[in-house]
Amino acid sequence: MSDTPEQSASSPRSLGQRIFSRALDSVERIGNKLPDPITLFVIFVAIVMIVSALASAFNVSAIHPGTGEEVNAVNLFSKDNLQRIFLEMPQTFAEFPPLGLVLVVMLGIGVADKTNLIGVALSAFVSSVPGWLLSASVVFAGLMSSLAVDAGYVVLIPLGAVIFHGVGRHPLAGLAAAFAGVSAGFSSNLFLTSLDPLLASFTTPAANILDPNYVVDVTANYYVMVALVPIFTITGAFVTEKIIEPRLGAYEEEEGLEVENNEISSLQRRGLWAALIVLIITLIGIAFMVVPQDAVLRGDDGSLGPFYRSIVALMLFLFLLPGLAYGIVTKQITSDKQVAQMTSDTMASMGPYIVLAFAAAHFIAFFNWSNLGIILAIGGADLLQGIGFTGVPLIFSFIIVSAMLNLFIGSASAKWAVMAPVFVPMLMLLGYSPELTQALYRVGDSFTNVLTPLLPYFPLIIIFAQKYQKNIGIGTIISTMLPYSIAYGIVGITTIILWILFDLPLGPESPMYYQQP
């Protein structure tokens, strides 16, 4: 029996829900009053340039904890830097990391999408997954997508929206669930990713400041990162179904939106089988280039570095070749001209993102050139070090500072390069291992990813969302993702604290505590 309006209004749970919903609505209203994302990034550029001039005039600086050198604020209005801005403008844009990744992958996705392989495959997927598992499946796929570096942003997030839309659920809820898995849960995975050796390469020299013989393995945080996968999956599914979807309400189709047909014909099924066979053959070919010790995508020392760096290119073929097979079998591709047109149409649809990428690339570049990002990171690290916390308060504070810095500096390695030389030795002196400090950083470095417009892929998320809600703004995205960020922060911090209290191993032969030799 349902509650009457009076009963509902008077219940504490309903009141709490209404207060939280109003808070999110306020965030959305304020955020949506911001200018267009392109204009916003232009304003950010102007602010960075002005602040850089003021910081330089007042001799704002910080001592880099790794090198001991003084890092000074750089005036972007100086003659040399103005020259640099104009001379390097094409290079700054062309070398913007997400730009190449997005466009290369979208060439393959374009063929798979234009032939409707993706839509039909998703329809088959949806029909095979119980409805009660759909949210968890999308979140889990997002968590695992970090195996493909950042390809999850390009591939999985729009697919999450399509999946939800295909079963009559709000597409923005599907987009949010995928975004939460891909971004807020970035550090967790069932397998080692390229992030593991990257972070360890900074943690080891930081530990060597105190102990010259200390070595941090790439598996340093493997156990705790694996444990976070089911925790984040359940949390993300809960937030999606209990908070996000009720707040979004029923989805009303906007004019001009093409609705996917989920009924699969016999011809389409033959096309799916052909695409699956080609996909398997492609994966086997990739395995031959990766598995043997002297394989093409192995380093001279047998490492998988070349493979990790080739994932974007491999993704192109993983979508292109099955897309071609599906299109040929379903007779949607009968000549090479059609394939060329499909890829051209896909690139044309990326026009808004390319313009956004131009503005975002220069803002991020200027922020780095001014040294403001490094100074902010060092200042925040020094502040936490000076607090003098120990135990749980120190651990909690360190995670929160990592999360806050993540709002301003997107690169995980850049932040860790600055923070590790300060916090790794400091926590070693307090009895905590470098492996634990790295794990704490990874927890804090992820759950605020979904809240910062400085995330390089944030403009792309807006473009994906605008397919279903034309006037969507930054505020809508942030207010939608805020519950995920809060929930992931709570469960992530709780998990790592319990891990410490029960003295569980962080990874194979990775100690929790450090004993000075």
Side-chain angles (χ1 to χ4, degrees):
M1 180 176 177
S2 61
D3 293 337
T4 64
E6 291 80 4
Q7 291 172 324
S8 178
S10 63
S11 67
R13 183 168 180 265
S14 176
L15 177 61
Q17 288 178 331
R18 296 205 321 272
I19 292 174
F20 188 60
S21 179
R22 288 174 182 172
L24 293 181
D25 290 341
S26 298
V27 171
E28 180 175 358
R29 285 195 301 270
I30 294 172
N32 284 341
K33 289 181 179 179
L34 294 172
D36 182 87
I38 297 174
T39 306
L40 190 61
F41 276 112
V42 173
I43 294 173
F44 284 166
V45 166
I47 291 174
V48 167
M49 294 187 68
I50 293 171
V51 172
S52 74
L54 293 174
S56 177
F58 286 97
N59 297 317
V60 175
S61 64
I63 302 299
H64 195 293
T67 64
E69 297 178 353
E70 185 177 22
V71 179
N72 297 294
V74 175
N75 181 8
L76 295 179
F77 282 107
S78 67
K79 178 181 178 180
D80 290 342
N81 281 295
L82 287 175
Q83 284 185 353
R84 182 183 187 184
I85 290 172
F86 288 107
L87 291 174
E88 297 187 16
M89 185 173 290
Q91 180 181 350
T92 300
F93 178 45
E95 294 181 356
F96 187 49
L99 182 65
L101 184 150
V102 169
L103 297 184
V104 168
V105 174
M106 288 304 293
L107 284 172
I109 292 178
V111 174
D113 181 50
K114 298 298 181 182
T115 59
N116 204 27
L117 167 61
I118 293 177
V120 174
L122 286 172
S123 297
F125 169 77
V126 168
S127 63
S128 63
V129 174
W132 61 276
L133 274 179
L134 186 56
S135 298
S137 299
V138 171
V139 175
F140 174 76
L143 295 171
M144 297 302 295
S145 70
S146 59
L147 283 169
V149 194
D150 291 339
Y153 286 100
V154 184
V155 178
L156 187 65
I157 292 176
L159 296 191
V162 172
I163 290 174
F164 271 53
H165 184 261
V167 296
R169 296 171 64 176
H170 204 297
L172 293 187
L175 181 145
F179 190 17
V182 170
S183 197
F186 176 71
S187 285
S188 59
N189 206 295
L190 296 180
F191 304 97
L192 294 175
T193 70
S194 58
L195 184 64
D196 292 278
L198 180 63
L199 294 182
S201 68
F202 290 106
T203 309
T204 294
N208 295 156
I209 295 175
L210 190 64
D211 187 344
N213 298 318
Y214 204 97
V215 176
V216 177
D217 294 330
V218 297
T219 57
N221 304 142
Y222 180 64
Y223 292 160
V224 69
M225 292 302 116
V226 168
L228 283 172
V229 171
I231 294 172
F232 282 164
T233 299
I234 295 171
T235 301
F238 177 85
V239 171
T240 301
E241 296 181 359
K242 301 300 182 181
I243 299 177
I244 302 304
E245 286 194 277
R247 179 171 179 268
L248 290 172
Y251 177 64
E252 296 182 3
E253 207 78 52
E254 294 194 6
E255 185 179 354
L257 176 63
E258 182 179 350
V259 181
E260 292 85 356
N261 184 358
N262 291 324
E263 295 184 5
I264 303 176
S265 66
S266 59
L267 182 62
Q268 289 174 327
R269 292 188 183 279
R270 290 198 296 271
L272 284 177
W273 279 109
L276 178 61
I277 292 172
V278 170
L279 176 62
I280 293 173
I281 294 173
T282 304
L283 289 172
I284 293 173
I286 293 174
F288 275 112
M289 293 190 292
V290 175
V291 175
Q293 191 67 19
D294 58 347
V296 173
L297 295 181
R298 288 266 195 167
D300 294 336
D301 58 351
S303 66
L304 293 175
F307 166 67
Y308 287 131
R309 294 191 295 272
S310 301
I311 286 179
V312 172
L314 295 175
M315 291 291 291
L316 164 64
F317 294 103
L318 285 172
F319 280 95
L320 175 63
L321 298 180
L324 290 173
Y326 179 85
I328 292 172
V329 170
T330 58
K331 305 186 185 306
Q332 296 182 70
I333 296 178
T334 57
S335 70
D336 62 303
K337 293 182 179 179
Q338 291 173 305
V339 178
Q341 186 62 48
M342 290 177 180
T343 55
S344 298
D345 291 343
T346 301
M347 290 297 101
S349 68
M350 296 303 296
Y353 172 71
I354 294 173
V355 178
L356 279 170
F358 178 83
H362 285 85
F363 164 69
I364 294 173
F366 291 0
F367 199 64
N368 291 333
W369 295 352
S370 67
N371 282 340
L372 293 177
I374 295 178
I375 291 173
L376 283 173
I378 295 174
D382 289 344
L383 175 63
L384 184 57
Q385 186 180 28
I387 291 176
F389 282 172
T390 59
V392 172
L394 172 63
I395 290 167
F396 179 80
S397 299
F398 177 64
I399 293 175
I400 294 301
V401 166
S402 299
M404 296 303 295
L405 289 177
N406 191 43
L407 294 173
F408 300 98
I409 306 174
S411 171
S413 59
K415 288 191 299 295
W416 191 228
V418 172
M419 297 178 69
V422 172
F423 291 104
V424 170
M426 181 184 73
L427 293 184
M428 288 172 71
L429 291 171
L430 295 174
Y432 297 110
S433 70
E435 290 86 349
L436 173 60
T437 308
Q438 179 179 289
L440 298 177
Y441 170 73
R442 294 180 69 167
V443 170
D445 182 56
S446 298
F447 63 84
T448 53
N449 278 336
V450 293
L451 300 182
T452 173
L454 302 187
L455 179 74
Y457 295 96
F458 207 90
L460 187 64
I461 305 303
I462 296 175
I463 296 300
F464 289 149
Q466 286 177 344
K467 176 180 178 182
Y468 301 95
Q469 188 172 320
K470 295 178 181 178
N471 297 323
I472 201 167
I474 291 176
T476 302
I477 299 297
I478 293 178
S479 66
T480 300
M481 301 310 301
L482 183 58
Y484 291 104
S485 182
I486 294 173
Y488 275 35
I490 291 173
V491 299
I493 293 172
T494 301
T495 299
I496 196 66
I497 290 176
L498 290 175
W499 213 270
I500 295 170
L501 293 178
F502 285 97
D503 194 16
L504 300 175
L506 298 165
E509 300 182 1
S510 295
M512 179 73 68
Y513 300 101
Y514 172 74
Q515 295 182 349
Q516 298 187 46

